Amino acid sequence: MAIVMDKKIMVCAFTALIIVTAVSVYSQDKKKSEKTDILLTDIAGNITSYKSKTITLRLRLKYLDRIFEKITFYDSKNHDIVFEISSKQIKKRIARDMLNLHEGMGYFVTFTVQKVGSAGEIIAELQGFKPVILDYMP
């Protein structure tokens, strides 16, 4: 009788653990989607409300130019944003992030919006980026 009760308790505990984990993952995904639903064209079109704000978007790496020291990301509508990474402060800040770059991989990119250029592109300062895959790993 005691063995049967122990099995029931174990099954209940395991089921509760699965439910808590599922709810936690769902709420984390919801929080991520809330902060990353903005497109680059939305920011450029409404620059007055985004100017001088630090934003985190889910973008993909397009290209790293080591000669001219620029890094390009793109959003889900294939709009690009280019960051200069030539200053010593930025190089120091993103040194760890630069170790494992892969074109096409998703990143949470954090940047501070400065202004919109004459061609309609966003001019911003890169704060850092983190692979999206790290949020899904235990």
Side-chain angles (χ1 to χ4, degrees):
M1 184 76 163
I3 296 173
V4 173
M5 289 299 281
D6 288 343
K7 286 183 180 180
K8 286 183 181 180
I9 292 172
M10 294 286 284
V11 169
C12 289
F14 185 70
T15 304
L17 180 66
I18 289 174
I19 291 171
V20 168
T21 304
V23 169
S24 174
V25 168
Y26 175 75
S27 66
Q28 287 176 355
D29 287 346
K30 189 172 182 180
K31 287 177 188 175
K32 289 176 198 169
S33 66
E34 287 173 358
K35 74 177 182 180
T36 60
D37 285 343
I38 305 167
L39 296 174
L40 294 172
T41 53
D42 297 338
I43 296 171
N46 196 4
I47 193 65
T48 55
S49 63
Y50 290 106
K51 190 171 185 177
S52 301
K53 290 188 179 177
T54 301
I55 299 172
T56 301
L57 297 179
R58 184 177 181 164
L59 304 172
R60 292 188 180 274
L61 177 65
K62 183 174 186 178
Y63 183 69
L64 172 65
D65 187 346
R66 295 188 189 271
I67 296 170
F68 294 106
E69 296 181 323
K70 295 182 185 244
I71 189 167
T72 306
F73 292 94
Y74 64 95
D75 65 6
S76 61
K77 298 290 183 180
N78 290 329
H79 296 258
D80 293 350
I81 184 165
V82 179
F83 298 103
E84 294 219 12
I85 54 172
S86 57
S87 74
K88 288 183 180 181
Q89 294 87 4
I90 293 174
K91 284 182 182 178
K92 191 174 190 179
R93 188 171 47 225
I94 65 170
R96 297 187 91 198
D97 299 332
M98 298 288 286
L99 296 175
N100 293 312
L101 289 177
H102 301 285
E103 291 180 4
M105 191 165 134
Y107 292 90
F108 287 117
V109 181
T110 304
F111 58 93
T112 304
V113 178
Q114 295 172 340
K115 61 183 177 178
V116 174
S118 59
E121 78 280 4
I122 299 171
I123 298 173
E125 182 179 346
L126 181 64
Q127 300 299 321
F129 50 92
K130 181 176 91 166
V132 172
I133 192 76
L134 291 181
D135 282 355
Y136 295 107
M137 297 176 82

